Amino acid sequence: MSKGMYVPKESQPKQGGGAAKGRDGEKGGKRKIVAQNKKARHDYAIVDTYEAGLVLTGTEVKSLREGRTSLTDGFVQIDRGEAWLHNAHIPEYHQGSWTNHSARRKRKLLLHREEIDKLESKAQETGHTIVPLALYFKDGRAKAEIALARGKKEYDKRQTLREKQDRRESDRAIAAAKRKQRGV
């Protein structure tokens, strides 16, 4: 292109350095999952999910990158207008020194004010709680997927397992019928 020549914006080359755009035009990027709380999906019916940033120290980030963390006993609590992640186990960084963190300290979650207010009002309803579902890195930043959840009764858990098993069996039967039809 020569200098001073008009070129429509659509045909101009894209500038680098921006984050990859995901669907719906949001900032996207790859998610590198560090830990998942599968027990939460079994014990709770998920009502709504949120993505929250985490305030971490340097050794916590290094320990997270090693992938040795657990969310099994974790829960989120709203205290004085701030969201806090409790009981998430991020082990001490083995190469850390006196700057190491405690493994089960409470960690601040970064959410928008409207999200915090909505979570706080919903969590005060009977039977609702806020649980962490996953910890992951997105565009190099540590994020937590948290969910507003309602506790399941024992028969609900059995029903969910039964539905999952029925779905798996029907998928197997369909796959077997397709294989038989192809003559394999």
Side-chain angles (χ1 to χ4, degrees):
M1 284 186 268
S2 64
K3 205 171 196 177
M5 190 172 136
Y6 172 75
V7 179
K9 192 170 189 169
E10 297 85 37
S11 62
Q12 290 179 358
K14 300 258 186 209
Q15 297 294 323
K21 293 275 185 179
R23 53 181 196 256
D24 301 331
E26 294 176 11
K27 271 186 156 178
K30 297 238 179 180
R31 281 175 42 154
K32 182 185 174 226
I33 295 179
V34 177
Q36 286 186 322
N37 190 356
K38 294 180 182 178
K39 186 178 176 185
R41 292 199 186 270
H42 179 262
D43 291 342
Y44 299 99
I46 306 302
V47 176
D48 203 4
T49 60
Y50 297 90
E51 181 180 65
L54 280 166
V55 177
L56 300 172
T57 64
T59 55
E60 286 175 321
V61 174
K62 289 180 179 186
S63 185
L64 270 179
R65 290 196 188 278
E66 289 180 347
R68 304 177 304 131
T69 188
S70 171
L71 293 173
T72 307
D73 298 329
F75 64 96
V76 176
Q77 191 173 29
I78 310 287
D79 185 28
R80 288 187 234 127
E82 294 180 335
W84 295 90
L85 176 63
H86 293 268
N87 281 352
H89 184 263
I90 300 175
E92 289 185 352
Y93 184 57
H94 67 275
Q95 292 179 341
S97 59
W98 58 271
T99 58
N100 243 334
H101 61 279
S102 62
R104 289 204 182 263
R105 75 176 188 90
K106 69 179 189 174
R107 294 162 179 95
K108 188 175 182 179
L109 294 174
L110 303 173
L111 291 162
H112 291 283
R113 170 65 43 213
E114 299 85 34
E115 293 174 332
I116 292 174
D117 293 341
K118 183 178 178 182
L119 280 170
E120 186 174 23
S121 66
K122 292 282 190 179
Q124 290 174 351
E125 293 178 12
T126 307
H128 286 84
T129 187
I130 309 168
V131 293
L133 297 178
L135 285 179
Y136 54 91
F137 284 99
K138 183 176 175 184
D139 296 330
R141 299 182 189 272
K143 303 281 185 179
E145 182 179 16
I146 61 172
L148 179 66
R150 185 176 49 250
K152 285 185 183 177
K153 303 285 186 206
E154 196 62 37
Y155 57 85
D156 289 334
K157 294 177 191 177
R158 285 194 299 268
Q159 180 67 27
T160 304
L161 288 174
R162 195 173 305 120
E163 288 171 359
K164 195 174 184 181
Q165 185 178 1
D166 291 344
R167 194 170 34 251
R168 196 176 297 137
E169 287 175 5
S170 67
D171 289 345
R172 283 185 189 144
I174 291 169
K178 285 183 180 178
R179 278 194 304 271
K180 192 174 188 179
Q181 189 177 33
R182 285 192 321 241
V184 174

